[in-house]
Amino acid sequence: MKMLPVEVSVGTRDWRERLKQTFLVTFPALLLCLVLDFIGGGVLGKHFSMIATSYPLLLVILPGLSDLRGNVFGAMASRMTTALHLGKIRGILDKEVTTNISMAIGSSTIPLLVLWVAGAIKLGFSSSSLVVLLIVIASILIIGLLLGYATALITIFPYRWGADPDMIAAPLITSVADIVTIPSLIYLIFFYEDYPSLFYIFTAVMLVLFAVLLLKSHYTREHRRAFKEVATVLTVLGIIEIFSGSTLESFSDVISKVIILSVIYPSVLDSVGNFASIAAATTSTRLNLSGVKALKTHDFYLDVGSLLLLAPIIGFLTNYIAVYVTRLIGHQGEIIWPFVLGYPFLVLVNMLIGIIVAYIAHRFDIDPDNVAIPTVTTISDVMGTLFIVLLAKLMVGA
């Protein structure tokens, strides 16, 4: 891979300015993501028992579905940030943007089918599993279109305003993905149950819109390579996500006894993934623009260190907000100190993994923009799911 002879500093050489940017730019973005995550968390907590009883296959798919969306569009945001630095993108209606959106939707289809098959095998094929498949397909199309253009917006506009998209785009889009994923699945279930004929028509219309998007796209050799890389990585990661989903479904009875953990679950996966994604995206952009030497600069260590300072704050706020959301949906909630104390260590491990994954991809001549964020968010899902299950077992004494 040929490196540009450019010295890139995503941060700033003065640690005071670095901390100022972290707390005035990154922290508000992470806080906004955290608050928005509880939209999905509240919906999941309210309907968790219903899903576990009537549509358990959704619990097998849910972590992978949320993660794949964050992965796909987080990687898209990372690629677009690099393209913006190189002057390849100028506006949201550019054909480059359209191509990236169609590529993102297409590359997420295969791993989701893998997840569905794995879940159906685990729980048995039934009419319920077919309903879940139709709901997932409809969700892929409508939410994919919305997230695609949302990714373009939150990447292009911050860049125009002089902000670094790597520090806000990935966490925002992964949180938006989490917000729409859980409510869309649940309300598509209600849509199907109440108006099955209209549901079929809606799904058909979404397929037509996607076909139009494909016709307006322009795939170059670079795009085809990126699609191959992303689709391959996501399929492998989708297989890994089977573990997260199966674990969530297998221990759903334990989690149901501590509703606050089902409320907090999406926020944990998303926030930990956000920290890891920022670390991976920052590393990826530096590697693509300046090579390995960019990781040995004082600025890089300041970026990582200042970001890590936010972990204890976000961890406590996650639990604090979850208490009130849980009470809002009619259940009891309290501060879980093992969670508050363990969260920063979970973040630290996943941030280090994000940096290492981006570096390894670069060393093997694989564009880290295409693989780093998907990989680290999947790993974050697995570790976050295990973290929640361990807390649930600790709290109920199972």
Side-chain angles (χ1 to χ4, degrees):
M1 182 181 296
K2 184 177 179 181
M3 290 299 146
L4 295 175
V6 179
E7 286 289 340
V8 177
S9 176
V10 180
T12 174
R13 292 186 179 278
D14 185 81
W15 65 270
R16 295 180 182 83
E17 290 298 321
R18 177 67 265 170
L19 288 176
K20 182 178 178 180
Q21 180 172 328
T22 297
F23 280 90
L24 294 183
V25 178
T26 306
F27 177 66
L30 290 174
L31 183 59
L32 175 61
C33 293
L34 181 63
V35 173
L36 295 178
D37 283 336
F38 280 104
I39 296 175
V43 173
L44 179 62
K46 184 176 181 179
H47 299 282
F48 190 83
S49 297
M50 179 273 290
I51 297 173
T53 302
S54 302
Y55 299 95
L57 180 53
L58 274 180
L59 292 180
V60 178
I61 297 176
L62 183 59
L65 181 58
S66 298
D67 186 51
L68 284 171
R69 283 179 175 163
N71 283 341
V72 168
F73 295 101
M76 175 182 164
S78 185
R79 287 196 306 273
M80 289 185 64
T81 298
T82 301
L84 284 166
H85 281 298
L86 298 176
K88 293 182 178 180
I89 295 177
R90 297 188 180 277
I92 192 173
L93 298 179
D94 285 4
K95 186 159 294 225
E96 177 73 15
V97 174
T98 302
T99 303
N100 270 277
I101 293 174
S102 65
M103 184 171 69
I105 295 175
S107 62
S108 65
T109 303
I110 297 176
L112 287 176
L113 291 177
V114 170
L115 284 168
W116 178 82
V117 170
I121 291 175
K122 180 179 186 293
L123 300 173
F125 288 90
S126 63
S127 58
S128 175
S129 62
L130 293 176
V131 171
V132 169
L133 176 61
L134 291 174
I135 289 171
V136 169
I137 291 175
S139 180
I140 291 172
L141 296 173
I142 181 62
I143 303 304
L145 288 170
L146 292 175
L147 288 179
Y149 284 103
T151 301
L153 283 172
I154 63 178
T155 305
I156 294 174
F157 283 98
Y159 180 82
R160 288 180 176 176
W161 296 335
D164 176 26
D166 274 339
M167 300 300 287
I168 56 177
L172 280 177
I173 197 58
T174 53
S175 291
V176 172
D178 284 344
I179 292 170
V180 299
T181 293
I182 295 173
S184 70
L185 289 175
I186 292 175
Y187 292 116
L188 280 172
I189 289 175
F190 297 152
F191 184 24
Y192 174 83
E193 291 179 343
D194 294 339
Y195 309 100
S197 297
L198 288 177
F199 174 79
Y200 294 134
I201 294 173
F202 172 77
T203 304
V205 170
M206 290 299 101
L207 285 169
V208 171
L209 288 177
F210 180 56
V212 172
L213 191 69
L214 285 173
L215 291 174
K216 291 186 175 182
S217 302
H218 177 66
Y219 280 84
T220 64
R221 182 177 180 180
E222 180 182 351
H223 290 124
R224 288 191 293 270
R225 178 188 174 186
F227 179 87
K228 181 179 179 180
E229 288 181 357
V230 172
T232 300
V233 169
L234 290 181
T235 301
V236 172
L237 297 179
I239 295 173
I240 297 174
E241 284 285 7
I242 294 173
F243 176 79
S244 298
S246 297
T247 301
L248 180 64
E249 191 278 328
S250 297
F251 291 93
S252 59
D253 57 335
V254 179
I255 297 175
S256 295
K257 297 176 182 178
V258 191
I259 292 297
I260 190 173
L261 291 180
S262 65
V263 172
I264 215 171
Y265 180 70
S267 299
V268 171
L269 267 58
D270 185 52
S271 60
V272 174
N274 283 342
F275 277 104
S277 294
I278 293 174
T282 300
T283 305
S284 175
T285 299
R286 288 174 178 272
L287 288 170
N288 278 331
L289 297 179
S290 297
V292 177
K293 63 181 180 179
L295 304 187
K296 301 177 182 180
T297 63
H298 183 59
D299 284 346
F300 178 70
Y301 294 117
L302 285 177
D303 282 343
V304 175
S306 59
L307 180 62
L308 189 59
L309 290 176
L310 299 178
I313 303 173
I314 294 296
F316 178 80
L317 289 176
T318 299
N319 198 164
Y320 187 78
I321 297 172
V323 170
Y324 289 94
V325 174
T326 303
R327 292 175 182 174
L328 186 64
I329 62 176
H331 298 273
Q332 292 298 315
E334 60 183 5
I335 296 295
I336 306 171
W337 289 109
F339 169 82
V340 174
L341 296 175
Y343 181 87
F345 294 98
L346 185 65
V347 168
L348 172 61
V349 171
N350 282 276
M351 283 180 60
L352 293 175
I353 291 174
I355 294 171
I356 292 170
V357 168
Y359 174 76
I360 291 175
H362 176 78
R363 293 289 293 178
F364 283 89
D365 200 29
I366 300 174
D367 188 352
D369 277 342
N370 295 329
V371 300
I373 289 178
T375 301
V376 299
T377 52
T378 298
I379 294 173
S380 297
D381 277 1
V382 173
M383 298 182 69
T385 300
L386 290 175
F387 185 51
I388 291 296
V389 169
L390 288 174
L391 286 173
K393 291 174 70 68
L394 176 66
M395 295 179 70
V396 302

